[in-house]
Amino acid sequence: MPRTAIWIALPVLVALLGMPPAGAGQRSPVVVLDPGHDLRANAATEPIGPGSSTRKIKDGGGTHGLVTGLREAELNLRVALRLRPLLERAGVRVVLTRTRTVGTSMGNIARARIANRAHAGLFLRIHADGSTDRTARGTHTLYPALTRGWTDDVYAASRRAARTVQSELVRALRFPDRGLQERADFTGFNWADVPVVLAELGFMTNPTEDRLLATAAYQRRAAIGLCRGTLRFLGRRPAACR
Ligand SMILES: [Zn+2]
């Protein structure tokens, strides 16, 4: 090849290599899915927000099914793994904080940092609830309370996301609607620099919800509800969630 041809071909090659894969589109939003907990709890502590002297345990380990014995960490992961392809088919890039239930929980600052580094359009944390009262049941969605210096940059968008996620989750699962809850004490919220919500799908300590959430059909329902709520928040058509 003549030298001039190389000088022309080289920048073209570099440009081609740097292009996103077909269909990815440079403006595709990123959603970080955070299946709560892991195989083992983490008793180490971490500050509840940047610069805070208040520390909380990294991970108490989560709950488990009263009847089925299913671990919350495993349920959260199954729903996240069902949700990922739904979002990807809708043109959303998906990052998971974990893809297996095998280790000690990384803690909540680490989870938030994954979402921050990905510049997530939404940091979606997936959990299920537990209570000493086995009649307690229903779905609720948590989002950060307004704390100056910590969440003022993400408060309004998080609250908006919590509304769409909660309404679509309730529609999909048909569990009682426990509404939204603001939390000032969640480490994973206070360290997030991107909109963040935490969905509590239902109560694993309630025999009815435990049995249902342990089924593939209800894990799929949860994934569809989370997908629809996420896409509505991102201003995309929720009909893509199938
Ligand atoms: Zn949990």
Side-chain angles (χ1 to χ4, degrees), residues 36-37 61-63 72 76 126-129 198 200:
H37 314 291
T63 188
E72 184 201 336
N76 300 338
I126 303 169
H127 283 253
D129 227 331
L198 187 153
E200 296 277 11

Side-chain angles (χ1 to χ4, degrees), residues 54-129:
T54 306
R55 301 177 71 91
K56 265 175 61 177
I57 188 170
K58 283 192 175 180
D59 191 335
T63 188
H64 63 272
L66 185 73
V67 179
T68 65
L70 179 64
R71 305 174 69 97
E72 184 201 336
E74 189 54 34
L75 171 64
N76 300 338
L77 180 62
R78 287 187 198 171
V79 171
L81 292 176
R82 282 182 181 274
L83 174 54
R84 173 166 61 179
L86 299 182
L87 289 171
E88 284 176 344
R89 282 204 293 273
V92 172
R93 286 179 289 157
V94 176
V95 173
L96 276 89
T97 58
R98 66 181 177 94
T99 55
R100 296 183 301 168
T101 305
V102 292
T104 300
S105 181
M106 71 182 87
N108 294 301
I109 295 177
R111 291 173 195 265
R113 283 195 170 135
I114 292 170
N116 294 343
R117 285 199 193 106
H119 303 287
L122 182 63
F123 176 26
L124 178 56
R125 312 182 64 197
I126 303 169
H127 283 253
D129 227 331

Side-chain angles (χ1 to χ4, degrees), residues 1-16:
M1 207 185 312
R3 200 188 294 174
T4 47
I6 291 171
W7 285 117
I8 292 163
L10 199 61
V12 171
L13 185 65
V14 168
L16 283 173

